[in-house]
Amino acid sequence: MHQNFNYQNKTVFVAGGSSGINLGIANAFAEKGANVAIMSRNAEKIKAAVDLLKNHSGKVIGFIGDVRDASGVADIFQQVNQSFGPIDIVVSGAAGNFVAPVTGISPNGFKAVVDIDLLGTFNVLRASHQWLRKPGASIINISAPHSLVPTPMQAHVCAAKAGVDMLTRVLAMEWGPEGIRVNSIIPGPIDETEGMRHLTPTDNARRAVTAKVPLRRFGTINEVSDVALLLCSPMCSYVTGVVLPVDGGSSLGGPTPFGEISSSQSIRN
């Protein structure tokens, strides 16, 4: 194992870590020897994820929690610290979404996405701060292309994820003097994820999305996980405040065409 990717005796916390990209990232760190804590609202998914992560050498613990509950998130971080000690890496990836035009989004619907994506990210990062290893901690926020590219039918997500990326930059400045690095990863169309299953339910939809990607293919969960491993490694020790697309170049060409996708579909991780 390359010494830069040896995470033995490191503690990793992943919010939304029971499925999709977030579980892939948690699994990647577990494979490299880290102790991993995950949280999610779904008890069944947490159990399945913990069972998967236990296949590796590190310790694993799962928590049922909602990122919108600030006091609940704070309690979970305290328990992680009691179990594993100072936290080296935090990944904030909980997210919610549905496809709709602005006139089809109720105030409550808009608020729900902002509360999960933006307020949830704030709650996770704010609660983590006192338990982080200082210096040396690394934070990764999982954002979305909507933060960079105005996307019809996704105004709520565009607003929320733009806020997440600005929060990334502000905290990189505020927490940098303590030796804490804060970066965002922006996954593009990643195969085998709940988001892509909902947003590209037909072969025609998949082809339309693929045509927008300069590399002409969907990405993989492992490709996102590899970037997370790199960003948290000593090889990126001077990298902070970065908003990094991992999208095959798809964000270079404008918004993904969601017009042919049913507005009745919803996404929640």
Side-chain angles (χ1 to χ4, degrees), residues 52-197:
L52 171 68
L53 297 172
K54 282 183 176 178
N55 290 323
H56 307 300
S57 60
K59 300 175 183 177
V60 182
I61 188 168
F63 297 92
I64 301 170
D66 190 326
V67 295
R68 294 171 293 186
D69 177 8
S71 62
V73 172
D75 289 342
I76 288 172
F77 270 104
Q78 184 173 14
Q79 293 179 63
V80 174
N81 177 260
Q82 290 172 348
S83 297
F84 296 154
I87 299 170
D88 299 281
I89 295 162
V90 172
V91 179
S92 180
N97 190 7
F98 54 89
V99 179
V102 169
T103 53
I105 304 173
S106 69
N108 283 339
F110 192 95
K111 181 178 184 297
V113 171
V114 172
D115 281 354
I116 296 170
D117 289 31
L118 180 53
L119 179 61
T121 297
F122 171 82
N123 287 340
V124 168
L125 303 192
R126 177 66 182 84
S128 75
H129 180 262
Q130 66 176 307
W131 309 113
L132 295 175
R133 189 178 301 280
K134 308 178 187 74
S138 179
I139 293 171
I140 292 178
N141 295 320
I142 304 301
S143 185
H146 311 71
S147 72
L148 300 175
V149 182
T151 305
M153 314 289 283
Q154 294 281 273
H156 44 322
V157 186
C158 290
K161 291 301 190 181
V164 168
D165 287 346
M166 190 54 73
L167 183 61
T168 292
R169 295 183 178 101
V170 170
L171 289 186
M173 298 177 71
E174 289 191 6
W175 293 359
E178 299 176 84
I180 301 168
R181 299 188 297 112
V182 188
N183 295 291
S184 284
I185 290 176
I186 297 180
I190 304 299
D191 218 353
E192 302 299 323
T193 60
E194 185 177 353
M196 283 300 102
R197 282 191 289 270

